Structure formats: structure tokens, C-alpha cells
Amino acid sequence: MSFLNRTLGPLFFPSILWRSSNSSIHLTFDDGPHPSATPRVLELLQKFGIQATFFLLGERVASYPQLAVQIMALGHTVGCHSMSHRSLFLKPLMAQRAEISRARSTIETTIGKSPGAFRPPYGHFDFSTLRASSDEGMRLVMWDVDSQDFSTRTNANVLRRLTRQTRQGSIILLHDNDQTAGRGSDYLAAIVENFLESGYTFAPVSV
Ligand SMILES: [Zn+2]
């Protein structure tokens, strides 16, 4: 997936955003809002005064609407990550449309703004995904740097991986979910401090 994202993806799917032309880098958090992971991420980002992008799940927005509102109120960008996190790949167009449309409208109803970016669950998509998200007014946003923070990699491993792969305009995939809740906030602080020391600035993804 990493190879596809970094090399083949931009070649075959130029309408998708894989990396920006900004000089900033873009932290993106998938799978929230999560009752313990998301507040910790928000607090950390606020401490450093940086803004990120959160790709929210419709079902979790329905469960934790106040967190979705808080993400928005703190100046972060809200994107859509489907309703239930089922893979959309090779599902009929109507089924994909239902997942994407319900999530988009749940987010809009909750935060008062329709998201402009869609990230497919697991990064799996096909032409129906592109069509359904475009019909909902959203551009597909992938990433060029996968932190693998949801895996069993140690915090030091995650940081090393990010440092090696990130460059200007990089879109970095992170998560605020059950898997990352146990990492604490030290790992994220280390990531942010590391990039600040390297002279990077941070910005939400803009589509
Ligand atoms: Zn996800």
C-alpha cells in the first residue's frame, strides 16, 4: 500500500490528493472521535498550537457528537471516513453511496458544516468510491506517509518511520482509535517536536 500510495497512486489517480504542494506537512487522524484517544490528541495539538485533519466515522460522531464539535471549534479540519468503517472496495455503487452519504450528512448535522474531504476505510477504493464521494462534494484524500501507529510497532519505530519518509507537503496517516489510545500522548509529542526541530510547519489538509 505504501508503494502504491507513494508511487503508483498519484500516477493512476491524479484526482486524489496524495501529498500537497504546500511547504507544510499535514497530520491526519482517522477513526475518531474516540472518547479517550481524541481528547489527548486535541490537547497535545493545542499545546503546540498546530492544526490537523480528522477523518471521522459517522457512527462515532453519532456516539460522541460533542467531540466532533470540539475538533471543529479548535480550528481543525473535519473530513469523512465513512459511516461504519466497512471496506467499500468492489461494493455496489448504491451501497457505497449509502455509507458515504449517511456519514457526510451525520457530520454536517453535528458540526454544521459539510466535510470536503473523504478518506476510504483501510485506504481501499474503486471507481464507485470516487464517484460516490464526488457526488457528495468530497475529494478523496489519501496519504504518502503511513505511521503504522495502529500496529505493534514501538513508539520509537513509529517515529523513525515518519522521520525517514516525511518531506514537504507530506500527508501523514495517524489514528485516534482503540489501537492508539494505549500509546499515551508522549509518542505524538515526540513526533511533533521532531518535525518542529526539523523546521517543518503544520497545516490541515486543504481540498
Ligand atoms: Zn480507518
Side-chain angles (χ1 to χ4, degrees):
M1 202 61 208
S2 229
F3 178 70
L4 172 73
N5 278 7
R6 293 163 68 85
T7 313
L8 296 179
L11 215 59
F12 289 111
F13 300 98
S15 72
I16 298 174
L17 187 65
W18 304 84
R19 183 179 158 231
S20 82
S21 51
N22 292 8
S23 56
S24 299
I25 57 175
H26 313 280
L27 301 182
T28 65
F29 294 88
D30 287 11
D31 301 351
H34 184 281
S36 63
T38 304
R40 235 175 4 212
V41 170
L42 290 176
E43 194 183 327
L44 198 277
L45 295 177
Q46 197 171 14
K47 182 180 149 199
F48 285 99
I50 60 182
Q51 258 85 44
T53 305
F54 290 78
F55 289 94
L56 304 183
L57 290 169
E59 285 182 355
R60 295 210 173 142
V61 170
S63 299
Y64 309 104
Q66 72 290 350
L67 276 176
V69 170
Q70 197 187 353
I71 290 169
M72 170 95 172
L74 288 169
H76 304 293
T77 294
V78 170
C80 177
H81 193 40
S82 84
M83 196 67 194
S84 67
H85 211 271
R86 287 188 197 97
S87 176
L88 300 172
F89 186 62
L90 298 182
K91 296 283 187 325
L93 176 62
M94 287 304 286
Q96 296 205 32
R97 191 169 269 155
E99 266 281 330
I100 293 171
S101 171
R102 280 177 59 217
R104 192 207 59 74
S105 72
T106 302
I107 292 170
E108 182 179 20
T109 307
T110 306
I111 68 171
K113 190 179 176 202
S114 193
F118 178 71
R119 175 170 286 162
Y122 313 101
H124 298 165
F125 66 89
D126 57 24
F127 287 106
S128 296
T129 322
L130 285 169
R131 180 157 167 210
S133 52
S134 162
D135 287 350
E136 291 292 322
M138 298 186 290
R139 183 180 183 188
L140 242 73
V141 173
M142 297 291 280
W143 60 85
D144 66 323
V145 180
D146 179 357
S147 68
Q148 299 198 351
D149 59 349
F150 59 88
S151 70
T152 53
R153 284 172 182 273
T154 62
N155 290 351
N157 256 329
V158 170
L159 179 60
R160 243 196 314 275
R161 189 180 169 80
L162 291 181
T163 308
R164 203 173 52 234
Q165 296 187 358
T166 299
R167 50 195 171 142
Q168 286 194 346
S170 274
I171 298 175
I172 300 172
L173 173 64
L174 296 149
H175 297 82
D176 49 339
N177 62 16
D178 283 338
Q179 281 75 40
T180 60
R183 284 192 183 273
S185 45
D186 283 358
Y187 88 102
L188 194 54
I191 289 168
V192 171
E193 276 165 357
N194 176 71
F195 285 135
L196 286 173
E197 276 166 23
S198 304
Y200 284 115
T201 55
F202 295 82
V205 171
S206 108
V207 289

